[in-house]
Amino acid sequence: DISCLIADVQMPGMTGFDLHDRLIRNEYGIPVILMTGLPTEKFEARARNSGAVDLLSKPIGIERLIGCVEKALDGAAKQPQSSMT
């Protein structure tokens, strides 16, 4: 079982945004935290509009990361589980 996914925006072959979009299309209710070393308003808007838990800017402080993971897990516990297995 996956409770939370943390993905970089820039990855070889697929962006973190593309991965998140694919999970949504396939009805996986996994909370996603995105991170980037090059934050832009465009990235922030796309993360917000896609329903990502947050878009973190590198370097990421441990307190901020822990807070985002707790938020993701709390939100996941309140959502109905996907029918996908």
Side-chain angles (χ1 to χ4, degrees):
D1 292 337
I2 299 171
S3 299
C4 177
L5 176 69
I6 302 172
D8 202 315
V9 170
Q10 301 296 326
M11 301 186 298
M14 177 184 294
T15 70
F17 291 118
D18 293 339
L19 175 59
H20 187 220
D21 292 344
R22 185 174 290 184
L23 290 169
I24 291 168
R25 273 195 319 273
N26 289 301
E27 299 180 8
Y28 287 98
I30 302 167
V32 174
I33 299 168
L34 297 168
M35 61 182 172
T36 182
L38 303 168
T40 65
E41 288 182 23
K42 181 180 174 183
F43 282 174
E44 291 171 7
R46 185 166 178 193
R48 187 174 42 255
N49 293 334
S50 72
V53 175
D54 207 339
L55 174 67
L56 302 176
S57 299
K58 297 178 195 176
I60 302 166
I62 190 69
E63 295 84 15
R64 178 83 192 275
L65 180 60
I66 289 170
C68 282
V69 170
E70 288 174 342
K71 180 179 173 183
L73 296 177
D74 184 49
K78 293 177 183 175
Q79 292 183 354
Q81 293 297 313
S82 168
S83 61
M84 304 295 289
T85 55

Short mmCIF file of all heavy atoms in Angstrom, two decimals, residues 8-9 12 18 22-23 31 33 37 41 47 49 56 66-67 80 83-84:
data_model
loop_
_atom_site.label_atom_id
_atom_site.label_comp_id
_atom_site.label_asym_id
_atom_site.label_seq_id
_atom_site.Cartn_x
_atom_site.Cartn_y
_atom_site.Cartn_z
N ASP A 8 9.65 14.54 -7.64
CA ASP A 8 10.27 15.74 -8.15
C ASP A 8 9.52 16.18 -9.40
O ASP A 8 9.01 15.34 -10.15
CB ASP A 8 11.74 15.47 -8.50
CG ASP A 8 12.57 16.73 -8.54
OD1 ASP A 8 12.13 17.73 -9.14
OD2 ASP A 8 13.67 16.72 -7.97
N VAL A 9 9.45 17.47 -9.63
CA VAL A 9 8.81 17.98 -10.84
C VAL A 9 9.62 17.56 -12.06
O VAL A 9 9.05 17.13 -13.07
CB VAL A 9 8.65 19.52 -10.78
CG1 VAL A 9 8.23 20.08 -12.11
CG2 VAL A 9 7.65 19.89 -9.69
N PRO A 12 13.48 12.20 -15.37
CA PRO A 12 13.66 11.71 -16.74
C PRO A 12 12.44 10.91 -17.20
O PRO A 12 11.92 10.09 -16.47
CB PRO A 12 14.90 10.81 -16.65
CG PRO A 12 15.14 10.57 -15.21
CD PRO A 12 14.40 11.61 -14.43
N ASP A 18 3.08 15.08 -14.60
CA ASP A 18 2.53 14.03 -15.46
C ASP A 18 2.20 12.77 -14.65
O ASP A 18 1.16 12.14 -14.87
CB ASP A 18 3.50 13.68 -16.58
CG ASP A 18 3.69 14.80 -17.58
OD1 ASP A 18 2.81 15.69 -17.67
OD2 ASP A 18 4.74 14.80 -18.28
N ARG A 22 -1.50 11.18 -14.19
CA ARG A 22 -1.77 9.78 -14.54
C ARG A 22 -2.42 9.03 -13.37
O ARG A 22 -3.35 8.24 -13.57
CB ARG A 22 -0.48 9.07 -14.96
CG ARG A 22 -0.74 7.65 -15.44
CD ARG A 22 0.49 7.00 -15.98
NE ARG A 22 0.85 7.64 -17.25
CZ ARG A 22 1.84 7.23 -18.00
NH1 ARG A 22 2.59 6.20 -17.64
NH2 ARG A 22 2.12 7.85 -19.13
N LEU A 23 -1.96 9.29 -12.16
CA LEU A 23 -2.57 8.65 -10.99
C LEU A 23 -4.03 9.06 -10.86
O LEU A 23 -4.89 8.22 -10.59
CB LEU A 23 -1.80 9.03 -9.72
CG LEU A 23 -0.40 8.43 -9.58
CD1 LEU A 23 0.35 9.08 -8.43
CD2 LEU A 23 -0.47 6.92 -9.41
N PRO A 31 -2.23 10.76 -2.10
CA PRO A 31 -1.81 12.14 -1.97
C PRO A 31 -0.39 12.32 -2.51
O PRO A 31 0.48 11.50 -2.25
CB PRO A 31 -1.86 12.41 -0.46
CG PRO A 31 -2.29 11.17 0.19
CD PRO A 31 -2.44 10.10 -0.83
N ILE A 33 2.94 14.90 -3.00
CA ILE A 33 3.73 16.08 -2.66
C ILE A 33 4.75 16.24 -3.76
O ILE A 33 5.49 15.29 -4.08
CB ILE A 33 4.43 15.92 -1.30
CG1 ILE A 33 3.41 15.73 -0.18
CG2 ILE A 33 5.34 17.12 -1.02
CD1 ILE A 33 4.01 15.28 1.14
N GLY A 37 13.55 22.30 -7.57
CA GLY A 37 14.66 23.20 -7.29
C GLY A 37 14.49 24.53 -7.99
O GLY A 37 15.23 25.48 -7.73
N GLU A 41 5.88 30.57 -10.52
CA GLU A 41 4.45 30.77 -10.29
C GLU A 41 3.64 29.76 -11.09
O GLU A 41 2.61 29.28 -10.63
CB GLU A 41 4.06 32.19 -10.67
CG GLU A 41 4.56 33.23 -9.69
CD GLU A 41 4.12 34.64 -10.05
OE1 GLU A 41 3.11 34.80 -10.76
OE2 GLU A 41 4.80 35.57 -9.60
N ALA A 47 0.43 22.95 -9.44
CA ALA A 47 0.34 22.05 -8.28
C ALA A 47 -0.95 22.30 -7.51
O ALA A 47 -1.66 21.36 -7.15
CB ALA A 47 1.56 22.25 -7.38
N ASN A 49 -3.76 23.68 -8.63
CA ASN A 49 -4.93 23.31 -9.43
C ASN A 49 -5.09 21.81 -9.61
O ASN A 49 -6.19 21.32 -9.86
CB ASN A 49 -4.87 24.00 -10.79
CG ASN A 49 -5.04 25.50 -10.69
OD1 ASN A 49 -5.64 26.00 -9.75
ND2 ASN A 49 -4.48 26.23 -11.63
N LEU A 56 6.98 21.82 -2.80
CA LEU A 56 8.08 22.23 -1.94
C LEU A 56 9.27 22.68 -2.76
O LEU A 56 9.57 22.09 -3.80
CB LEU A 56 8.50 21.05 -1.05
CG LEU A 56 7.40 20.47 -0.16
CD1 LEU A 56 7.93 19.24 0.58
CD2 LEU A 56 6.88 21.51 0.80
N ILE A 66 8.03 17.05 6.99
CA ILE A 66 7.23 16.27 7.93
C ILE A 66 5.81 16.82 8.00
O ILE A 66 4.83 16.07 7.99
CB ILE A 66 7.88 16.23 9.33
CG1 ILE A 66 9.15 15.36 9.27
CG2 ILE A 66 6.91 15.70 10.38
CD1 ILE A 66 10.00 15.44 10.52
N GLY A 67 5.67 18.15 8.03
CA GLY A 67 4.34 18.76 8.05
C GLY A 67 3.52 18.40 6.83
O GLY A 67 2.32 18.12 6.93
N PRO A 80 -12.37 8.49 0.80
CA PRO A 80 -12.69 7.09 0.50
C PRO A 80 -11.59 6.48 -0.35
O PRO A 80 -10.98 7.16 -1.17
CB PRO A 80 -14.00 7.17 -0.28
CG PRO A 80 -14.20 8.58 -0.64
CD PRO A 80 -13.29 9.43 0.21
N SER A 83 -11.14 2.14 -5.77
CA SER A 83 -11.49 0.75 -6.03
C SER A 83 -10.36 0.02 -6.73
O SER A 83 -10.43 -1.17 -6.95
CB SER A 83 -12.76 0.69 -6.89
OG SER A 83 -12.52 1.34 -8.14
N MET A 84 -9.29 0.75 -7.07
CA MET A 84 -8.15 0.13 -7.76
C MET A 84 -7.34 -0.68 -6.75
O MET A 84 -7.15 -0.29 -5.63
CB MET A 84 -7.24 1.20 -8.37
CG MET A 84 -7.95 2.13 -9.33
SD MET A 84 -8.59 1.33 -10.80
CE MET A 84 -7.07 0.98 -11.63
#
